[in-house]
Each structure stands twice: as structure tokens, then as C-alpha cells.
Amino acid sequence: MKKFFEDIKKDIKFKSAGPGKKLAEGGSSKPRVVQNSGPAKPHHAAPTEGAQKAGAAAMARIEGQPRPRAQTSQDAIRLQVKRELEAEAAAVAATEKEKITAVEGSSVKDPAFLSVTGVYFTCPLTGATLTKSEREVHIKEAIFMRFEEDAVEASIMMVHTFNKDREKVKAAVDIINKYIENICKNPTEEKYRKIKLSNKVFQEKVKTVEGSREFLQAVGFQSIMLDVEGQEESEEFLVLMEHDPEALEVMKESMDRLQRGEPVRAQLDHQPQTFRPSSNAMRFELPPEFYNLTAEELKREQQQKSEAVEKTNMLRTKAMREREEQRERRKYNYTLLRIRLPDGNILQGTFLAWDKVSVLFQFVRDSLVDGWQPFELVAPGGHKLREAQELALNECNLAYPR
């Protein structure tokens, strides 16, 4: 625009300079003087009609052109929307932070009545303390490490721990026992000391059970490729080389151990704790691990059931109430119990809901300095528990959420 006005000024000066002359004219000729009515004042000279129109049009465009505004530019609009979204997200985040802070603040418990942080287990092989999610992986690793010390024992653990279908395990163990019985009865017969891995029975009954092949190799079988009559390619066999009577006796003992084997399971850690007398002794704060349902679902369900019971309590028979109680008992895997001692202190422990009453008695006995002294346990409601009872804790109404 600046250049446009400069061009107008130049045009005005050019036209006010008068008529020009050709370059071919002699340089000696004097320039012609143009007589003006007044003194020449170029800066006051009026522009031509065309220049005036051009200037007026330019000024009109300048004055009429809207100034750039953020709300009319696409980029500015996008930027504005982005800023609004960011501000909205920041507001939501601040609200969520306030909620979390409020929840965290309300979840801080006084050590005097803090329950437990979770359910924990102890590995019987390593003694490590594990969470529920860590149990299976840790036990498998511990069993594999056991092969360096005792391959027979480790393979037996594999058979009984890694396979959940007990019927399949029993079928595989029976077939392996038949292999070994035949060898012990006919130690010189070569056919009994060879197991063809492509055999249908082996494929369907033995191979499908983890640890079965490891057991056979641990007792002396070796993997060997042998030629098969009528076949061009050789096949894999597990072959037991000739053994002396003493080695066969050891193999029979290993077979007995396999038949008596049990799964390796992580043991529940009772997490014994003691608390001084407190008004919060009856307050239980339990983590979600104590329930099959989530805490929210459980609270909602309990509320709904309480409302339903209040409405239909007069119509329910004793048998109906007992059936409902049985369903309730099966819902809880764990229970947290507190025992008030004679001196007022409180002993706390975590138990399986189906643990026998005798487990609770033993827990108390192990926790006392003079555990040999006789004592009694009285459940809420005033009824005495008997150690000889074969009742589970949930059957004694000791596995309900507080």
C-alpha cells in the first residue's frame, strides 16, 4: 500500500514538470519555461482526476477492509477451540484430583485399627511371601530350580502341581506304574524297557500330563532314535538301559513317591498382628482380595439383600433362610478374625473361610507365650467354640464381612 501512494506522488510530480523533450534534440537548446499562474508548490499541487479516483478507491479499501480477528480466522478458531478444550480438561483433572485426594484422605487409617493391606501366601519351597497373583509363577520357578537337587522329586511336583485335571493325572500315573512294573517283573526283556513316543496310549494319556516325561527320564529312561521295522525313518523312544536289582528297587521307590505325590500349594500367611485395646477393635477394613466380588458389587448386593429381607422376612421359612446362609458362606474365600485376649490386647489373623476351627485354636496357641495352657474361644453371640469340632469357620458364622 505504501508503494501505491509513492507511485501516485511520482505521477503527480511527473505531470507537473511540463512537456518533455526528445533526447535527439541538441543539448544547446534551452529548456522551455512553462509559465504558471503562481509560484510552483509541488506539495500543494492538486492531483489529477484519475489519481484522485485511484486514491479515493484505495482509501475506501483501507477503511472498509476488516482487521484480522481471531474468531474469523480458521487457524485462530482452531487455536481457540484447542485452548477451550485444554482448559476444560484441566478443570476435569482438577476435579478428579480433588476426589482422589478426598478418598485418599478418608482411607488413611489409624494404626490402632488398621486391618490388612491384602492377602498373602508363603511358598513352601522357598519361604517367600507372595501375593495371590504371584503364587503360580513363583511355585513353577521354584519347582524347576529343584531339578538341580532332585530331578525325581521335581518331576513328581510337576505332575501333581502343573496339571489341574486330577483324573488325567491318575490315568498317566497308572500307565507309568505299569511300565515300571513290567520292567521289574521282566528286567531282561528288552521290549519292556522301550517306550515308543508315537504310541497312541502314550500320546493320549502320558504325554498330555506335564512332568510325566521328566519323571521317566529322571528314573533312568533316555531319549534315543531307533529304527522301526517296515519304516524308512527312525522314531524316538524312551529306553531304559539294563539296571542292576538295586537300581530297580530305587526306581520302584520313586514310583511309590509319584503315586503318593501331592500338589505344591502356597500356604496362606496368617499375618498375625496384635493391637492394644481400642474403641475401633470392631472396625474391619478389608481389601477386595477377601471377596469373590468387588467391594462395590458386594456392598450393592448386601444393600439389596437387606432391603429384600426386611420386606419378606415374615414370609421366609427356616429352610429358606438356611439355604440363603449357605449361599452367603460360599461367597467368601478369606476371613479376618480378631481375638480379644484376657489382658485386653487384640490378636488378629487371616484365615481361609473353610479352615477348620482347630486351625484357629492352633493359631492362638502358637501366638501365646505359654501356648501349653488351656484356653477357651468364645464367638460373637456367646457360644463357645470347640477345637474338636469338624466345623469350618464359615459354618460358625466367622466368615462374614464386618
Side-chain angles (χ1 to χ4, degrees):
M1 188 60 63
K2 183 178 179 181
K3 184 177 183 300
F4 175 79
F5 282 107
E6 289 178 354
D7 291 340
I8 292 176
K9 290 179 181 180
K10 289 179 181 179
D11 184 64
I12 294 172
K13 289 181 180 181
F14 179 77
K15 291 184 177 181
S16 61
K21 65 177 183 178
K22 296 181 179 179
L23 293 178
E25 294 180 358
S28 59
S29 59
K30 296 180 180 181
R32 297 171 60 184
V33 178
V34 177
Q35 298 294 329
N36 294 323
S37 58
K41 296 180 180 180
H43 56 281
H44 288 153
T48 63
E49 184 179 353
Q52 290 178 358
K53 291 182 180 180
M59 292 301 295
R61 285 197 301 272
I62 294 173
E63 293 176 358
Q65 182 179 1
R67 294 183 181 180
R69 292 181 298 177
Q71 61 268 25
T72 59
S73 170
Q74 291 296 326
D75 292 338
I77 292 174
R78 293 191 191 98
L79 181 60
Q80 183 67 18
V81 172
K82 181 180 179 182
R83 287 175 180 171
E84 291 177 0
L85 291 175
E86 289 176 351
E88 191 174 319
V92 173
T95 304
E96 292 297 325
K97 185 176 181 181
E98 290 176 1
K99 291 180 180 178
I100 293 172
T101 303
V103 171
E104 289 178 350
S106 63
S107 64
V108 176
K109 303 296 185 300
D110 191 300
F113 58 88
L114 181 66
S115 298
V116 285
T117 57
V119 179
Y120 298 94
F121 299 82
T122 302
C123 176
L125 302 179
T126 64
T129 301
L130 311 167
T131 62
K132 291 175 65 176
S133 59
E134 296 171 340
R135 289 179 298 175
E136 187 173 349
V137 173
H138 181 88
I139 288 177
K140 281 189 175 184
E141 291 177 351
I143 290 175
F144 285 133
M145 291 175 62
R146 200 81 170 183
F147 271 94
E148 298 180 2
E149 302 176 10
D150 189 339
V152 173
E153 181 183 19
S155 61
I156 292 173
M157 291 179 181
M158 282 187 67
V159 170
H160 291 283
T161 307
F162 292 6
N163 305 281
K164 306 303 181 184
D165 191 332
R166 306 309 302 167
E167 293 298 325
K168 286 186 176 181
V169 170
K170 185 179 183 305
V173 170
D174 289 344
I175 293 172
I176 294 173
N177 182 54
K178 191 65 176 178
Y179 291 154
I180 293 177
E181 275 188 354
N182 289 336
I183 293 172
C184 292
K185 291 179 181 178
N186 307 278
T188 58
E189 289 287 340
E190 183 179 354
K191 66 177 182 179
Y192 292 118
R193 291 187 283 108
K194 293 191 300 184
I195 302 173
K196 188 178 181 180
L197 298 191
S198 62
N199 178 271
K200 183 178 181 181
V201 174
F202 183 88
Q203 287 286 327
E204 295 179 355
K205 303 292 185 181
V206 181
K207 183 181 178 180
T208 56
V209 175
E210 286 188 79
S212 57
R213 175 165 177 164
E214 284 81 357
F215 175 80
L216 290 170
Q217 292 179 320
V219 297
F221 283 85
Q222 300 178 20
S223 175
I224 299 177
M225 301 297 293
L226 297 176
D227 295 332
V228 179
E229 186 178 355
Q231 294 184 196
E232 295 181 359
E233 297 181 356
S234 57
E235 289 194 30
E236 184 180 8
F237 285 76
L238 288 178
V239 180
L240 182 69
M241 302 303 178
E242 290 189 21
H243 276 53
D244 55 40
E246 185 177 350
L248 293 178
E249 285 299 320
V250 173
M251 188 167 61
K252 287 174 64 176
E253 292 176 3
S254 299
M255 187 63 230
D256 291 339
R257 291 166 60 188
L258 176 63
Q259 291 176 317
R260 297 193 309 268
E262 294 290 339
V264 178
R265 297 285 183 258
Q267 304 299 317
L268 180 67
D269 186 352
H270 292 303
Q271 303 177 73
Q273 300 183 57
T274 55
F275 304 99
R276 295 192 179 280
S278 170
S279 59
N280 296 308
M282 296 305 296
R283 180 172 180 175
F284 284 75
E285 297 294 336
L286 302 179
E289 290 91 332
F290 273 74
Y291 310 105
N292 288 342
L293 302 175
T294 64
E296 292 77 13
E297 291 173 339
L298 184 64
K299 290 178 182 178
R300 192 183 311 114
E301 183 175 294
Q302 288 296 108
Q303 183 179 0
Q304 293 173 350
K305 286 187 176 180
S306 298
E307 294 173 355
V309 167
E310 290 176 359
K311 294 178 181 178
T312 61
N313 190 41
M314 299 302 295
L315 302 176
R316 295 163 66 242
T317 65
K318 181 180 178 180
M320 293 170 62
R321 288 195 294 271
E322 289 178 351
R323 285 197 297 270
E324 185 173 340
E325 289 176 359
Q326 289 291 338
R327 288 195 297 270
E328 290 296 315
R329 289 171 187 155
R330 289 194 293 268
K331 281 188 176 179
Y332 311 118
N333 291 327
Y334 313 100
T335 180
L336 184 72
L337 299 180
R338 288 176 178 165
I339 302 98
R340 190 181 299 277
L341 303 176
D343 60 0
N345 289 324
I346 298 169
L347 175 64
Q348 173 181 287
T350 303
F351 299 86
L352 294 171
W354 50 85
D355 274 340
K356 300 299 182 183
V357 174
S358 58
V359 175
L360 177 60
F361 271 85
Q362 189 60 44
F363 169 76
V364 175
R365 186 174 292 110
D366 293 340
S367 302
L368 298 176
V369 176
D370 299 325
W372 55 270
Q373 293 184 349
F375 59 87
E376 292 182 340
L377 293 179
V378 181
H383 70 277
K384 293 182 180 180
L385 301 176
R386 295 182 177 84
E387 188 172 5
Q389 285 179 310
E390 289 299 318
L391 294 176
L393 296 176
N394 55 8
E395 294 175 323
C396 298
N397 295 331
L398 295 176
Y400 285 86
R402 300 295 190 262

